[in-house]
Amino acid sequence: MKLLLFDVDQTLIHTGGAGLRALDRACRKHLAIENATHGITAHGKTDPAIVREILLARVGSDSTLEIQLQSILESYLSFLREEVQSSPGYRVLPGIVEILQEMSARTGVVLGLATGNVELGARIKLDRGNLNSYFMFGGFGSDSENRTTLVKKAAEAAAQKCGCPIEPEEIFVIGDTPRDIEAGRAAGFRTVGVATGHYSVEQLFAAGAHVAIPDFQQGRDRFLQAAF
């Protein structure tokens, strides 16, 4: 049994900045701060960790931080669906539909998510691209702010679904950032870097990726050779 765990943003889809716009709107509502995400690097971080970083940078730490964090995340989700649906830059990335169709039809392969998005946020983002049906489970930012922990949770969910443990060497964590690669390796799994985000193939290899490809259109054969 092989388990393929996909990141969402810049790996499966590109939202055209919808997530950051929704988060800015949520911060404007709760903190009365414009452009709260300016200067915050979100790549590969979990949603709760991003909001925590914004709060610490813009407001500072106090006893209400956790309450503020949850309130901002709730508002973010309410704005996100609108931003995703109206985003002119939204697209499913090259080769994704084809590889998901091929892998979901293949015996002995299970697909899941391993993403820093909170679960509802991930589902909203994937819905416009009609990709949710490929992923029945996953590990999410709503499971843990720690990326390695949520990757492990995704693997546990897969084992529960399959009714049997999956060997670590048969689990592939697929993502576009060094944080995806580092989390997968820390969990003891194999890693696939996809250079459809802000990092090159070379940078993903440098982060420790077992395999790195430009995208799933150009890199399909290389990925299949490594995984199968």
Side-chain angles (χ1 to χ4, degrees):
M1 181 69 68
K2 291 188 186 292
L3 171 60
L4 309 181
L5 295 174
F6 287 83
D7 176 46
V8 172
D9 293 288
Q10 314 289 359
T11 299
L12 294 172
I13 53 103
H14 178 57
T15 67
L20 290 179
R21 290 194 298 274
L23 189 50
D24 272 334
R25 289 174 67 181
C27 289
R28 186 182 308 124
K29 174 181 176 180
H30 291 280
L31 305 176
I33 295 174
E34 296 291 332
N35 303 313
T37 62
H38 180 73
I40 302 294
T41 302
H43 314 317
K45 297 176 183 175
T46 63
D47 285 347
I50 294 167
V51 175
R52 186 180 301 279
E53 186 174 343
I54 290 170
L55 285 168
L56 290 173
R58 309 294 187 231
V59 180
S61 179
D62 63 29
S63 60
T64 67
L65 187 144
E66 295 300 327
I67 296 172
Q68 288 180 308
L69 190 153
Q70 291 304 318
S71 296
I72 290 170
L73 281 175
E74 288 173 10
S75 293
Y76 159 74
L77 290 170
S78 72
F79 292 129
L80 182 62
R81 190 176 301 277
E82 176 187 335
E83 291 291 348
V84 168
Q85 290 302 318
S86 64
S87 178
Y90 184 99
R91 67 183 187 276
V92 178
L93 290 167
I96 287 298
V97 171
E98 293 79 6
I99 198 70
L100 293 180
Q101 289 176 340
E102 184 176 355
M103 293 299 98
S104 61
R106 192 163 186 156
T107 302
V109 177
V110 181
L111 304 181
L113 296 171
T115 172
N117 286 279
V118 294
E119 183 169 7
L120 181 55
R123 296 301 181 183
I124 289 170
K125 290 178 178 181
L126 293 176
D127 185 59
R128 179 172 166 181
N130 297 314
L131 299 182
N132 271 317
S133 62
Y134 293 105
F135 304 103
M136 297 296 103
F137 62 88
F140 304 92
S142 41
D143 294 317
S144 175
E145 285 189 37
N146 181 283
R147 190 116 199 174
T148 301
T149 301
L150 70 84
V151 165
K152 290 179 179 179
K153 284 184 176 291
E156 291 167 4
Q160 186 174 22
K161 176 179 173 59
C162 298
C164 63
I166 303 173
E167 295 300 320
E169 62 269 19
E170 302 296 340
I171 300 174
F172 293 79
V173 176
I174 303 164
D176 66 288
T177 76
R179 285 188 173 90
D180 297 297
I181 304 306
E182 291 159 5
R185 291 186 68 97
F189 306 148
R190 295 181 64 78
T191 55
V192 179
V194 189
T196 42
H198 296 272
Y199 299 91
S200 67
V201 166
E202 292 74 20
Q203 288 172 309
L204 294 168
F205 269 128
H210 294 94
V211 182
I213 57 177
D215 59 41
F216 273 101
Q217 190 171 70
Q218 299 177 66
R220 170 192 173 276
D221 292 347
R222 177 73 185 93
F223 166 71
L224 292 178
Q225 288 169 4
F228 298 95

